[in-house]
Amino acid sequence: MQQRYAAITGVAGYVPDYVLTNHELEKLVDTDNEWISSRTGISERRILKGKGKATSDMAVEAVRLLLDKTNHLPTDIDMLICATVTPDMTFPSTANVICDKVGMRNIPSFDVGAACSGFLYALTIGKQFIETQACRRIIVVGADKMSSIIDYEDRTTCVLFGDGAGAVLLEARADGTGIIDSILKSDGAGRHFLHMKAGGSANPPTRETIIAKEHYVYQDGPQVFKFAVKGMADVAAEVMERNGLKGEDIAWLVPHQANKRIIDATANRMGLPAEKVMLNIQKYGNTTAATIPLCLWEWEKQLHKNDKLILAAFGGGFTWGATYLRWAY
Ligand code: UT7
């Protein structure tokens, strides 16, 4: 009998309608389209507008579409995990809020905070509950309203990020498809280079923290770049080696979309041509936990059963990781 793996059996996504272009950013900060496109690969990003609109609202759109596409009722789901760094509020978890809005009750739901690697962390947690048969169906969401923590007067960060949500359904498969292997890593010393200074228990919000703009993303870009370019490539190569995979075996690299140069370096290290790399950073920028499920959603029609995929991410923490899966449908 084949081993049972947790498999992605459906995927859906949501991006807000409002398009913030590089040209529009040129009017806000001292930047230009040429700098942004050549240094990052980004041309535009989506922004969630509307008073009171939160990360959960984008996630709910993705989850409703996922349920609809996979012909499931909210009551069919045994667990919901949400990866995010922009929760609706510090507590309760955004996963709790999503469940309430969608009509999922009395199931475990919780958030995972692993920044840009959050979706891979949440997926790997979900995999355990499916493989032990504790759950039959789990929804894993990656969602971030990055515009809520971005200073649109800081040119070093405001050009990079966008808003969006993606969701996948996890179920058991015994036909060799599913998540075969996952490597997750972290190094908290990296927190100095990418963080939000205030708002947590170390530095609760005050008038001063607001005036000092400490509730926005702080990033030392070049330092993060240095670690990301190595970390993402190394972990992708490690998961390939551990599973005896060569570049020609891989159908798709599904990379976190932070910078096209980091993605190119990872693909290069894996021996993959550009045609095998999912890339939508030009349209959406860095949506943090949502980048990987948004790619899967966009490329879903081009995927075939048994395709070998490597998902790879690097982000705040530092956290990073890579997942090897065989597509289930
Ligand atoms: O997903 C979470 C993990 N995050 C990442 O993986 C991001 C990793 N880092 C990066 O992607 C890159 O470091 C950035 C895209 C953030 C920056 O690119 P860079 O090539 O590392 O540029 P830099 O920060 O070294 O800046 C080069 C120059 C500087 O000017 P000087 O000092 O050389 O005169 C910056 O002040 O570019 C300037 N600059 C800009 N110029 C125009 C920085 N931001 C901008 C901007 N427009 N938006």
Side-chain angles (χ1 to χ4, degrees), residues 194-324:
L194 180 51
H195 58 250
M196 190 194 289
K197 292 188 187 306
S201 57
N203 199 7
T206 60
R207 196 167 174 273
E208 286 69 35
T209 63
I210 291 170
I211 291 165
K213 295 187 160 199
E214 290 178 353
H215 297 271
Y216 294 124
V217 170
Y218 165 81
Q219 176 170 250
D220 179 340
Q223 280 296 337
V224 178
F225 186 90
K226 201 172 76 185
F227 285 98
V229 87
K230 185 171 178 338
M232 203 160 108
D234 280 355
V235 76
E238 187 180 341
V239 85
M240 284 174 70
E241 198 180 318
R242 196 155 98 168
N243 290 279
L245 297 166
K246 302 257 175 295
E248 60 264 29
D249 302 322
I250 307 299
W252 293 99
L253 166 64
V254 193
H256 170 55
Q257 315 273 314
N259 188 317
K260 185 174 181 298
R261 290 181 287 148
I262 299 171
I263 295 171
D264 290 345
T266 304
N268 201 26
R269 176 79 178 279
M270 293 167 69
L272 290 188
E275 312 84 75
K276 288 186 170 187
V277 180
M278 295 187 189
L279 189 79
N280 59 13
I281 192 171
Q282 67 283 2
K283 290 193 293 186
Y284 303 140
N286 183 350
T287 55
T288 303
T291 58
I292 289 177
L294 280 175
C295 279
L296 292 173
W297 177 50
E298 191 169 340
W299 268 265
E300 186 187 21
K301 287 200 169 61
Q302 294 178 57
L303 298 174
H304 302 103
K305 186 166 179 175
N306 281 314
D307 273 355
K308 293 174 178 159
L309 272 57
I310 302 286
L311 284 45
F314 186 96
F318 295 135
T319 56
W320 64 107
T323 295
Y324 161 45

Side-chain angles (χ1 to χ4, degrees), residues 74-82 93-100 103-112 122 125-126 129-130 132-141:
T75 47
D76 294 336
I77 305 304
D78 301 325
M79 177 182 286
L80 186 139
I81 311 172
C82 178
S93 75
T94 302
N96 299 163
V97 181
I98 298 166
C99 285
D100 178 51
M104 295 175 186
R105 309 231 178 266
N106 303 320
I107 61 163
S109 68
F110 55 93
D111 287 359
V112 169
I125 294 166
F129 283 96
I130 295 287
T132 57
Q133 304 189 27
C135 295
R136 280 169 312 147
R137 293 185 201 94
I138 297 178
I139 290 183
V140 179
V141 180

